[in-house]
Amino acid sequence: VQLTESGGGLAQAGDSLRLSCKGSGDTHAIYATGWFRQAPGREREFVGWILRNGGISDYADSVKGRVTISKSASKDIVYLQMNDLKPEDTAVYYCAATGAPSSLLRNWQQYHYWGQGTQVTVSS
């Protein structure tokens, strides 16, 4: 499975951005896709995840209410819609996928496949 993120860039506080994570290869083996972010000098942080099959998703408290994860009809693209962006949202955003069912999908170590990351910078 290969993952490619896109959609990052510069934004102002209050703006919206939609990141995309396109999967290729054996995407039917994906159980869940997660989004994580990492700011300079900080640890990788969970943002949210969504199951490939079904509509179950989960979000970090820090973004809940401002972020929505969705899928394309083919399920091969996973979107991260971010609204009301804040400067503290500035980070490199990564999508990740796992083929193994897990109850620990907030943990980045559960994921086996990672994209290259896309930078999101939010100015005040």
Side-chain angles (χ1 to χ4, degrees), residues 81-93:
Q81 176 71 42
M82 300 188 293
N83 301 321
D84 190 22
L85 285 165
K86 305 178 185 301
E88 51 264 41
D89 293 321
T90 295
V92 177
Y93 283 71

Side-chain angles (χ1 to χ4, degrees), residues 47-124:
V47 176
W49 57 258
I50 189 167
L51 298 186
R52 177 177 173 84
N53 297 307
I56 298 175
S57 59
D58 181 33
Y59 302 96
D61 288 345
S62 60
V63 300
K64 195 172 292 184
R66 299 191 295 119
V67 164
T68 303
I69 299 176
S70 60
K71 303 170 287 187
S72 66
S74 68
K75 304 179 186 178
D76 287 341
I77 303 176
V78 174
Y79 302 103
L80 178 68
Q81 176 71 42
M82 300 188 293
N83 301 321
D84 190 22
L85 285 165
K86 305 178 185 301
E88 51 264 41
D89 293 321
T90 295
V92 177
Y93 283 71
Y94 299 92
C95 66
T98 177
S102 172
S103 61
L104 302 174
L105 291 175
R106 290 188 170 208
N107 185 337
W108 65 267
Q109 295 175 321
Q110 298 296 306
Y111 295 83
H112 307 102
Y113 309 102
W114 289 82
Q116 80 286 355
T118 185
Q119 176 72 46
V120 172
T121 303
V122 183
S123 61
S124 58

Side-chain angles (χ1 to χ4, degrees), residues 9-20:
L10 301 175
Q12 293 188 331
D15 284 352
S16 298
L17 276 179
R18 189 178 77 164
L19 307 184
S20 299

